Amino acid sequence: MIERQLTFRLLEVYKMVIDTGSVSESARILHLTQPTISKQLKRLQEAVGEPLYVVHQQRIMPTDAGYALYNLCNNVFGEVADFKSALVEMRQGAAGHCKIAMVNTAQYVLPRLLGPYSKAYPNVELTVEIGNRQQVLERFEQGLDDIYVFSHPPSLEHATAGRFLLNPLVVVAAKNDPLSKKARVTWEDVKSARFLLREPGSATRMMFDSVLQSRGLTISDSIQMASNEAIRTGVASGMGLALLSQHVIQGYEQQIDVLNIDGFPLESHWHFIVRNDRYLSKASRGFLKYTDINIEACLGKVWAEHGMEALLTDINRLGV
């Protein structure tokens, strides 16, 4: 079969002969002898079964079949050159794939990092999955993604975490709620209020339950909602109070007030998580490095948290 006989070396020799129009010049450039070039041309012509060149005015010129073969050479070596360039970009983290899975609340902050990153590295293909904490944990266990985003990182042996962003949690109420008028709100004021809560197992719910337990308090009236958008809308319409990330309420200050209540804001951080038992693509490594360097430019000093040095060190040490 002809494709088994058309080796890269034969194609390289033929392309050089047509480019230079000379066997002697081709031999000089390729560091071969002229008899070797001639033998290669003969072997190639036998493989094709058609005349590939003629000599015109002391210059080698391709026949019709030779032109077709010459185009094949250009296409093949062009693809090889593209492949080599792609390899260089991949090794530098400037190309390839980066798969990110994040919990719902992270969608309010991560796009502000992904937008500038995509402009800086257009050849990296980003895939983003969004789910609740349990769904993202399941993806983590299955190793479906490269990077995972949690506000409360899982305590798992094969998880390595690095925090990258402050995530203060605040108690909020509607603008027309009587509590919004108070300069100082006590737990006595809110213990009988209705709270809009995320599902059990969400990081925000876990932190809220922990605060209540530490103070020996219980909430008598609550409504469970599946998303932060629903809770934010519910608070704005006067349905009740809620514990939300300050990132979630940005832009809604005309509808929602942050209550000045003892112990709040709760300190929290966003974390990037990687599996330390899996290979991490160069593109994903590049994204983490980009984030650590550019986080203030993307999110501002108020939110930035440069805590990924340990994560990046662990990635290099573990070779994930």
Side-chain angles (χ1 to χ4, degrees), residues 23-35:
V23 170
S24 60
E25 182 65 9
S26 297
R28 184 188 67 79
I29 295 173
L30 295 175
H31 304 289
L32 298 172
T33 65
Q34 292 188 41

Side-chain angles (χ1 to χ4, degrees), residues 6-122:
L6 295 181
T7 64
F8 276 98
R9 191 55 167 170
L10 285 178
L11 296 178
E12 181 184 35
V13 167
Y14 182 73
K15 183 179 184 318
M16 185 59 68
V17 168
I18 298 303
D19 284 342
T20 63
S22 166
V23 170
S24 60
E25 182 65 9
S26 297
R28 184 188 67 79
I29 295 173
L30 295 175
H31 304 289
L32 298 172
T33 65
Q34 292 188 41
T36 298
I37 295 289
S38 297
K39 286 180 181 178
Q40 298 277 45
L41 288 176
K42 181 180 179 183
R43 180 181 167 192
L44 185 60
Q45 191 156 270
E46 288 174 350
V48 174
E50 295 286 343
L52 297 176
Y53 62 89
V54 295
V55 178
H56 179 67
Q57 295 182 349
Q58 297 185 327
R59 182 177 178 85
I60 295 176
M61 303 291 292
T63 61
D64 288 344
Y67 270 120
L69 182 61
Y70 182 71
N71 287 335
L72 172 64
C73 293
N74 285 328
N75 290 336
V76 168
F77 291 113
E79 292 287 345
V80 170
D82 289 345
F83 176 65
K84 289 168 67 177
S85 296
L87 279 180
V88 171
E89 287 192 323
M90 288 178 186
R91 287 166 182 160
Q92 295 173 344
H97 294 80
C98 178
K99 298 179 180 179
I100 301 173
M102 59 185 177
V103 294
N104 290 300
T105 314
Q107 65 186 297
Y108 299 100
V109 296
L110 202 63
R112 284 183 279 162
L113 288 169
L114 295 177
Y117 174 77
S118 295
K119 290 180 181 178
Y121 296 94

Side-chain angles (χ1 to χ4, degrees), residues 133 137 140-141 150 152-161 206 273:
R133 180 179 175 84
L137 279 172
F140 178 86
E141 288 292 352
F150 290 94
H152 192 76
S155 299
L156 300 173
E157 184 180 354
H158 47 284
T160 300
M206 287 191 297
I273 316 293

Side-chain angles (χ1 to χ4, degrees), residues 19 62 92 96 102 144 152 163 167 178 188 190 205 219 225 228 246 257 264 287 290-291:
D19 284 342
Q92 295 173 344
M102 59 185 177
L144 298 179
H152 192 76
R163 67 180 187 231
N167 183 40
E188 191 67 27
V190 302
R205 177 69 176 271
I219 297 299
M225 293 185 168
N228 289 300
Q246 281 193 329
D257 269 336
F264 287 85
F287 171 73
Y290 173 90
T291 298

Side-chain angles (χ1 to χ4, degrees), residues 98-101 145-149 272-274 280 284 287-288:
C98 178
K99 298 179 180 179
I100 301 173
D145 311 280
D146 300 307
I147 300 170
Y148 303 84
V149 185
F272 286 128
I273 316 293
V274 299
L280 188 66
S284 299
F287 171 73
L288 293 175

